[in-house]
Amino acid sequence: MVTVPPFSMLILGIETSCDETGVALYCTERGLLAEALHSQVDLHAVYGGVVPEIASRDHVRMLLPLIQRVMDEAAIEKPDAIAYTAGPGLVGALMVGGGMANGLGLAWDCPVIPVHHMEGHLLAPMLEDEPPAYPFLALLVSGGHSMLIRVRSLGDYRVLGTTLDDAVGEAFDKTAKLLGLGYPGGPALAKLAETGDETAYDFPRPMVNKPTMDFSFSGLKTAVMLEVRKAETEGRLEESRADLAASFQRAAVDTLVAKSIRAARAEGLERIVVAGGVGANKLLRKEIADRFDGEVYYPRLAFCTDNGAMIAVAGALRLADAATAGQIRARARWSLESLGIPGR
Ligand code: KG4
Ligand code: ZN
């Protein structure tokens, strides 16, 4: 068993907000000790999207075995605290993680830390060898959110811009569906785009010339839909799919990059952090690094999409918010700005 020195803390992280069961053990001194992830993608694929009840039931099935696995791997008997995703997300799915965290917290007599899922994404780059220093601009792009956030310090967040309609991940998923790709569509669309010509279609870069830092992706999605219908009518959809995917991806990435760089400059920030599922997009990672004259940080690919490690590290940074186990918190909606500095 690992002996935990008095100054180091061992945090068990639990993520169950949507369709991935993620578990990890993070040590404040030694870093990430073990992590395990179970994706429910196959279960939901036949329905073309996440079915909340199926998600909850699968979290129930997988969570304890995954916790056991990381504990065995790290040779740990019990952690010092348990961090769990308390929102935003599917309430039933959140309740599974929250119930487990609080149950284990009572059994092990250790505190629990409710973590904001998007703060988990935002702090995922802290798991890397060269984490970003504060302040920075965060581009948080996932299936449910597209946000530009000014991060002054841990918990000091100001949302500069957000999506007015579809989140960018959602736009990737819906466009992928139009192109006949499976769920979740983002990674499949990005793969298909590799073989296409990104200049084949001149899709709109939504709101890129407006001063607002908000995003809107429904117009882009509609523009793709119209071209898909046209290609279908003309009997050339099959040969046009890769070009449509590449042109869509280019328009979405151009928008995200232009807005992020503009926001960073306007706020006088020299660092940009890209996080969340769409942060796994290779074109986005490359373009923002090429076009921004400051420093760009992102988590490793595996920690862009949902995982337990980001919840464990966020919990470690929010130890001051630890509470006695016994009260499950689960919130479908939860403002990131309302979090505040830990311990306050
Ligand atoms: O952060 P995440 O795992 O879950 C949420 O919190 O929503 O993000 C999932 C989203 C999905 O919309 C998925 O299609 C998208 O991230 N995504 C990608 C890529 N990998 C995942 N979108 C574009 N390119 C990718 N490589
Ligand atoms: Zn997420």
Side-chain angles (χ1 to χ4, degrees):
M1 197 183 103
V2 172
T3 38
V4 182
F7 46 84
S8 98
M9 291 285 280
L10 196 55
I11 321 292
L12 172 68
I14 296 176
E15 157 62 33
T16 64
S17 68
C18 191
D19 59 349
E20 326 263 1
T21 318
V23 174
L25 273 167
Y26 179 83
C27 171
T28 51
E29 202 188 15
R30 298 165 54 212
L32 192 62
L33 302 184
E35 55 117 7
L37 185 78
H38 167 72
S39 169
Q40 303 178 351
V41 160
D42 293 347
L43 289 178
H44 301 290
V46 282
Y47 302 98
V50 179
V51 181
E53 182 59 23
I54 294 177
S56 307
R57 285 170 189 243
D58 202 56
H59 287 310
V60 170
R61 190 172 70 87
M62 290 307 297
L63 192 49
L64 211 43
L66 290 185
I67 292 173
Q68 191 64 60
R69 196 198 297 171
V70 295
M71 303 282 285
D72 289 349
E73 205 180 306
I76 295 293
E77 275 174 17
K78 83 181 201 61
D80 299 307
I82 306 169
Y84 68 98
T85 305
L90 303 170
V91 170
L94 292 167
M95 288 294 289
V96 178
M100 183 67 75
N102 280 275
L104 289 175
L106 288 172
W108 285 332
D109 193 21
C110 70
V112 295
I113 311 153
V115 170
H116 190 295
H117 180 79
M118 297 312 290
E119 185 175 56
H121 276 303
L122 193 145
L123 296 174
M126 302 302 177
L127 289 158
E128 302 307 324
D129 289 342
E130 287 182 25
Y134 300 106
F136 55 80
L137 177 88
L139 171 67
L140 275 190
V141 272
S142 71
H145 297 84
S146 309
M147 291 194 277
L148 280 169
I149 301 159
R150 187 193 66 206
V151 179
R152 280 213 174 110
S153 62
L154 181 69
D156 185 344
Y157 308 135
R158 187 158 152 249
V159 178
L160 304 172
T162 185
T163 184
L164 302 178
D165 38 55
D166 290 353
V168 65
E170 210 176 343
F172 266 88
D173 293 339
K174 288 180 178 170
T175 305
K177 211 171 190 170
L178 280 172
L179 295 173
L181 301 167
Y183 161 84
L189 188 143
K191 182 113 200 43
L192 179 63
E194 284 173 16
T195 60
D197 173 6
E198 61 179 30
T199 63
Y201 298 88
D202 187 18
F203 287 132
R205 272 69 173 151
M207 305 191 6
V208 91
N209 295 319
K210 294 193 184 155
T212 170
M213 292 185 202
D214 287 332
F215 300 99
S216 164
F217 287 102
S218 65
L220 171 59
K221 190 188 65 193
T222 308
V224 180
M225 189 180 72
L226 293 174
E227 287 295 346
V228 167
R229 286 210 186 128
K230 200 166 147 206
E232 218 165 15
T233 316
E234 293 169 7
R236 51 169 181 85
L237 180 58
E238 198 44 45
E239 70 214 53
S240 308
R241 283 166 73 240
D243 290 349
L244 285 160
S247 304
F248 162 82
Q249 177 177 252
R250 167 55 68 181
V253 165
D254 274 353
T255 306
L256 294 174
V257 172
K259 283 199 173 266
S260 303
I261 292 175
R262 190 184 317 141
R265 288 203 185 117
E267 294 291 323
L269 296 167
E270 286 155 17
R271 284 173 283 265
I272 295 181
V273 163
V274 183
V278 184
N281 186 277
K282 287 190 195 135
L283 184 68
L284 174 62
R285 294 164 84 95
K286 182 184 174 305
E287 286 294 307
I288 206 156
D290 286 354
R291 280 151 66 176
F292 183 52
D293 52 11
E295 293 165 6
V296 179
Y297 297 82
Y298 13 60
R300 71 195 81 167
L301 287 178
F303 293 163
C304 284
T305 42
D306 293 349
N307 65 86
M310 69 184 196
I311 303 304
V313 76
L317 293 166
R318 281 211 170 262
L319 274 170
D321 292 342
T324 309
Q327 199 192 351
I328 304 169
R329 286 180 59 185
R331 301 171 71 169
R333 291 173 167 273
W334 188 1
S335 140
L336 196 60
E337 283 178 335
S338 71
L339 289 182
I341 313 285
R344 284 205 204 149

